[in-house]
Amino acid sequence: MSNPISAGLWVFASSAEKFSYDAELSVREQIKAAAQVEGLEGLELIAPTHVTVDNVKEIKALLEEVRLRPVSVNPNLWTDDKWQYGALTAPDEKIRREAIETAKRAIDIGHELGTRRMCLWPGQDGFDYPFQANYDLLWEWTLEAIREIAEYDPKTQIGYEYKSKEPRTHMLVGNAAKAALIGELLGLKNVGAYLDFGHALMGRENPAESVALLARCQRLMGVHINDCYGLWDDDITVAAVHLPQVFEFLLTLRQVGYEDWISLDLVPVREDIVEACRLSVRYIQSMQARLDKLYADEGKTKALQAAQSSLQALESQEIIRELIFG
Amino acid sequence: MSNPISAGLWVFASSAEKFSYDAELSVREQIKAAAQVEGLEGLELIAPTHVTVDNVKEIKALLEEVRLRPVSVNPNLWTDDKWQYGALTAPDEKIRREAIETAKRAIDIGHELGTRRMCLWPGQDGFDYPFQANYDLLWEWTLEAIREIAEYDPKTQIGYEYKSKEPRTHMLVGNAAKAALIGELLGLKNVGAYLDFGHALMGRENPAESVALLARCQRLMGVHINDCYGLWDDDITVAAVHLPQVFEFLLTLRQVGYEDWISLDLVPVREDIVEACRLSVRYIQSMQARLDKLYADEGKTKALQAAQSSLQALESQEIIRELIFG
Amino acid sequence: MSNPISAGLWVFASSAEKFSYDAELSVREQIKAAAQVEGLEGLELIAPTHVTVDNVKEIKALLEEVRLRPVSVNPNLWTDDKWQYGALTAPDEKIRREAIETAKRAIDIGHELGTRRMCLWPGQDGFDYPFQANYDLLWEWTLEAIREIAEYDPKTQIGYEYKSKEPRTHMLVGNAAKAALIGELLGLKNVGAYLDFGHALMGRENPAESVALLARCQRLMGVHINDCYGLWDDDITVAAVHLPQVFEFLLTLRQVGYEDWISLDLVPVREDIVEACRLSVRYIQSMQARLDKLYADEGKTKALQAAQSSLQALESQEIIRELIFG
Amino acid sequence: MSNPISAGLWVFASSAEKFSYDAELSVREQIKAAAQVEGLEGLELIAPTHVTVDNVKEIKALLEEVRLRPVSVNPNLWTDDKWQYGALTAPDEKIRREAIETAKRAIDIGHELGTRRMCLWPGQDGFDYPFQANYDLLWEWTLEAIREIAEYDPKTQIGYEYKSKEPRTHMLVGNAAKAALIGELLGLKNVGAYLDFGHALMGRENPAESVALLARCQRLMGVHINDCYGLWDDDITVAAVHLPQVFEFLLTLRQVGYEDWISLDLVPVREDIVEACRLSVRYIQSMQARLDKLYADEGKTKALQAAQSSLQALESQEIIRELIFG
């Protein structure tokens, strides 16, 4: 009942030896690198960075060749100069139009690849300074754009990857509830949140609570995993910093019945990328094994449920301590 | 067009000389203290701490005597031992029932006093430890309770005063969007957020953006003002730390057409309370005067609007600099 | 080679059932409560709260009776109204004099009890507002006072318990280096830092790094352990949040040769206090056992040393993962 | 008595229209851009990025041509691949040697240019993961390297530009006291801190307090000014966010008698660089003018001193409010 593990293909953009952030490898080489990570079963792709209407068949064949399944197709709305003041919220209507069309193409490509999921990250949508923005307009543009994208194909799950900051000092959609609220305000079932573990921490959320809230609203569209120190999107390896919170995150995903992908979203600056992914997979698997052990013991499982339902922290802490160290 | 200024009566709970947190003054004395603050026109009251079904007429007369209007009646759901594991989310059903009834009584009292507004702060609803809570249950109980409270009188505006932490390490409803989401999930028009400036900062929000989002959803039910350093609810005097953000907050309240109360929520630990309120009122008035000056200059007003609509930070910063220092 | 575990006696001030913060138990009852925590071998005491020149023999006998050793005698410089603007840095010279004398009495009591260690926490020394303080004066008064206290008995180790905030929004001595700097500026060998794990996190330190820096300066005078979320002094049970960092902290204490006390400093608000301490002791012991296992394996120990000396994060992370989950 | 204003030449590295971070302009063009900022009187230069042993005469002439004085020569220890695991703390001794020699060359160049000040920022010295580093070694290497650099020319002021994070999740020397402590441990008078306003905030310092502490130790070697939100080195324009704190910072610089340079260190990503500097200069000048007004009023000046010496927050707040808005 463990979640299958995937990764964002962008994780493999740089070769292991390279300190700088520039992509060095071809898409083919990146997919080959991903295929070296034991336990990895799927990939998130970015359009048009990795996959386009033109090369989609080639990419599909390549994925099949290395036995990695497509998880999502995510429109690139952040790296190009044209998005510098925003994509869905660009002040220039033409740029907003381009952003919407880019997202629709990602949906088209998803159809070809065989996935109906999008991680939507308009990474420049927000502001840096007090007094800089007309916030009401930013919200209006965001809602309009997402309506058009989501209605383009009601079967594609649109998960807004919320994040409180970086690269802007303030991103517009900075927490799980904002992403869920967009779905509610639009009244569209296929709009929700893409929950990134580190982003949840940056928004001062407890990631497990965000899982529960989003699952309750049926707006948990996808999951990224990594770790950070809560101040910035460090994207370091899983459980390096927030080990108990990752463990609780995986437990809560089980509790709410989320059986879908968990995608690694790491940015190892000085480390070997394939090794960083392997380490992260092993950490997840170590914890999943501990959870299997917990669930195999009905008494322990019920004791934990009872402690959680009555908010008895010491009892649940002791169960977890035994599970980890016992 | 400035907002009228009010205060929470609890602000005046301690005499000026007292370092400890214990209330020293009677409710009558507290109201008298509040009346010494020039520019203050209203009070938020807590039920049953300040006002009950029994003493409501007496309190009403007292308010009239000192010419302070009732702003809201807020149920006390946090100081008593029985709320220690939560109020709306207490694991014990009987305690949850008590919480709901306490809130209904606050509504009844509001009718008598002549205000249909509630700042709802279930200050113990949340958790302190990873693995402590069944988050889905916390949400279920929260939604159930608020539905019952809000349906008890659809004309009373219920503003959930969101806060990310303190006294719990994690409060359940920690940001503006969560409060708005509750209203959307319940489909009730009289449920929204009570926006506390410091709480917005604690949730890593820009308070002005929260104003705009909540106004757009028609879920801005009330406003608390104070200042803090963003890590804890310091409740120090207005603009001491976040002067530009307070200024933008007041501007945005105008822009969205909020003409209602702004309530001081200060907890001066070592300072004279009446003086702390006077200082805060003067800061607000100083900024309101600058905003009047801005609005009196049509060219400047349009220039600021244009800068904000096109996200030109330097242009709006320069307008603000001139407005403050020019 | 594990560190002996102690606790602050204040941890046991309230009975388990009490939500409020008021002390309910007598000092005798508190010591009896502490004695129920298996694995606890010592106590830090506060003077005059727990121990005075008058009752020191009685307390000494009581400690012997329950087989708990005295760890330190800490002057109470924070709860009384007179300290509200500071103790060592009170603007009133008479109050500063009282603070110094209170600290000297704690040294005297330590002599009687048989400990020459002080955790010095001037909990009101700092400021809350921009523009509030003459910082140079605060530093002058701090240096003067600590010189006098430390020279009163050069054999008593004075550890300034640094903390960045709470109860003040800014405490003057907010990080490890400031505490060490005081020792260097005074040129006194018996002045250094009392390192509280949670306070280190609040100061955006990595606690293990602070251990190494202070040990290098020979200014690590004592250690408090607990956990928090880094924004406030939550004082929750050990490893609940920062499990890897606690583990690294214990490892680093070994690496630098610190074989002295580790004191629990917990403030369980809603939890049974004795149980909270027991849980924390078990967490520490679980990790100590893992460290014993590491040190028993020379190859692993050397591999970790090599990885750390060459800053190879993935290698050390994998060793730790195996140690915890393997 | 206002401080002269300078800037880091790196601020002008990109042309105004360019969103990407890559330098586009030649050093000559950058200096010309700097010369367009009215009120700017000096420049900090990086060696070898801007100035080398070979081109120093040419640069000197160019500075004279545009009437900008040299403020400091700062060794580049962060952009090259070789520094990826650290410069002064690189595990490879050869790299550490290169770092030291790079710094010595900066001193040599300073002699030629006519400045004996260095802002030393070993931007890769630190760590990203728990368990990654041997902290004691990092400190040993840091102390060794700085001794050699500082002793190379005792008349050159070496200011370590401390910073708690970015690009590493943890930089080794993350706060003012650590930088001062290095000077004390080495017993060298020409070693201290380069205080960057935003870095001080990132270290949870109040920048004005850091000024006072460093001035007291005679270890305030230089000042960078900018603004940020305290979580990351946003490097946005002065006073955009922390207006009261900037004001207090400028006041405290006067109070401690620092009459030297204040250097703009801005990184405007989406804004016109010259305009961002002009705006920042105007903000500083606006505040300096207000401080001149304060100092011209002896009664006000004394009242503020009295309030600060007795920690009366409301009194100093009111003086400041009047000064800004009166």
Side-chain angles (χ1 to χ4, degrees), chain A residues 150-183:
Chain A
E151 290 182 340
Y152 181 70
D153 176 26
K155 287 190 180 152
T156 293
Q157 305 291 301
I158 310 295
Y160 195 116
E161 189 179 25
Y162 65 91
K163 190 178 183 184
S164 66
K165 65 178 290 155
E166 198 256 307
R168 310 307 298 254
T169 72
H170 292 77
M171 319 269 293
L172 187 68
V173 180
N175 55 52
K178 277 185 168 178
L181 188 60
I182 291 171

Side-chain angles (χ1 to χ4, degrees), chain D residues 210-282:
Chain D
S210 306
V211 164
L213 172 62
L214 292 171
R216 163 168 282 271
C217 305
Q218 296 181 284
R219 298 198 183 279
L220 177 59
M221 301 310 189
V223 170
H224 281 172
I225 197 160
N226 45 49
D227 211 339
C228 75
Y229 285 89
L231 306 176
W232 196 252
D233 199 22
D234 304 315
D235 282 333
I236 61 178
T237 58
V238 174
V241 181
H242 291 89
L243 192 150
Q245 292 91 327
V246 174
F247 201 18
E248 189 195 23
F249 185 69
L250 296 173
L251 170 66
T252 309
L253 286 170
R254 287 203 192 199
Q255 288 174 333
V256 303
Y258 178 89
E259 300 184 2
D260 219 318
W261 296 101
I262 299 179
S263 273
L264 301 176
D265 183 5
L266 311 178
V267 183
V269 179
R270 295 165 187 80
E271 287 74 33
D272 181 283
I273 287 157
V274 169
E275 285 303 327
C277 289
R278 284 171 172 157
L279 175 70
S280 294
V281 169
R282 283 195 299 267

Side-chain angles (χ1 to χ4, degrees), chain B residues 279 282-283, chain D residues 313-323:
Chain B
L279 176 70
R282 282 195 299 269
Y283 254 112
Chain D
L314 301 184
E315 292 177 19
S316 55
Q317 284 291 318
E318 174 60 14
I319 291 167
I320 298 306
R321 190 195 62 79
E322 277 188 1
L323 202 58

Side-chain angles (χ1 to χ4, degrees), chain C residues 45-81:
Chain C
L45 302 167
I46 298 176
T49 315
H50 302 132
V51 60
T52 64
V53 174
D54 294 334
N55 78 353
V56 58
K57 282 190 181 128
E58 185 192 339
I59 296 293
K60 190 175 183 182
L62 190 50
L63 290 178
E64 281 164 6
E65 185 190 322
V66 298
R67 300 194 185 188
L68 290 169
R69 280 179 285 154
V71 171
S72 65
V73 180
N74 313 338
N76 185 337
L77 301 174
W78 61 91
T79 50
D80 200 280
D81 269 25

Side-chain angles (χ1 to χ4, degrees), chain C residues 85 89 91 126-127 129-137 139-141 143 170 172 175 177-178 180-181 184-185 201-202 204 206 208-209 212-213 216-217 230-231 244 247-248 251 307-313 316-317 320, chain D residues 85 89 91 126-127 129-137 139-141 143 170 172 175 177-178 180-181 184-185 201-202 204 206 208-209 212-213 216-217 230-231 244 247-248 251 307-313 316-317 320:
Chain C
Y85 293 110
T89 63
F127 51 95
Y129 284 81
F131 296 101
Q132 180 172 5
N134 179 325
Y135 306 110
D136 189 59
L137 261 185
W139 275 105
E140 184 175 313
W141 290 334
L143 290 166
H170 292 77
L172 187 68
N175 56 51
K178 278 186 167 178
L181 187 60
E184 293 295 327
L185 291 174
L201 292 171
M202 290 168 74
R204 290 201 180 152
N206 184 41
E209 190 269 322
L213 172 61
R216 163 169 281 272
C217 305
L231 304 176
F247 202 17
E248 189 193 24
L251 170 66
Q308 293 189 319
S309 297
S310 56
L311 290 162
Q312 295 305 303
S316 56
Q317 283 291 318
I320 298 306
Chain D
Y85 294 109
T89 62
F127 51 96
Y129 284 82
F131 296 101
Q132 180 172 5
N134 179 326
Y135 306 110
D136 188 59
L137 261 185
W139 276 106
E140 185 176 313
W141 290 333
L143 291 166
H170 293 77
L172 188 67
N175 55 52
K178 279 185 168 177
L181 187 60
E184 294 295 328
L185 291 174
L201 292 171
M202 290 168 74
R204 291 203 178 147
N206 184 43
E209 190 270 323
L213 172 62
R216 163 168 282 271
C217 305
L231 306 176
F247 201 18
E248 189 195 23
L251 170 66
Q308 292 189 321
S309 297
S310 56
L311 290 161
Q312 295 305 302
S316 55
Q317 284 291 318
I320 298 306

Side-chain angles (χ1 to χ4, degrees), chain B residues 105-170:
Chain B
R105 287 305 73 70
I107 291 174
D108 295 341
I109 294 164
H111 286 204
E112 294 263 355
L113 270 183
T115 175
R116 303 256 180 151
R117 182 189 285 109
M118 174 193 293
C119 173
L120 177 66
W121 186 58
Q124 306 293 346
D125 286 15
F127 51 95
D128 297 311
Y129 284 81
F131 296 103
Q132 180 174 5
N134 179 326
Y135 306 109
D136 189 60
L137 261 184
L138 297 187
W139 276 106
E140 185 176 313
W141 291 334
T142 294
L143 291 166
E144 273 177 7
I146 293 180
R147 177 180 296 287
E148 185 172 340
I149 295 164
E151 289 182 341
Y152 180 70
D153 176 27
K155 287 188 180 154
T156 293
Q157 305 291 302
I158 310 294
Y160 196 117
E161 189 178 25
Y162 65 92
K163 190 178 183 184
S164 67
K165 65 177 291 155
E166 197 258 309
R168 310 307 299 255
T169 72
H170 292 77

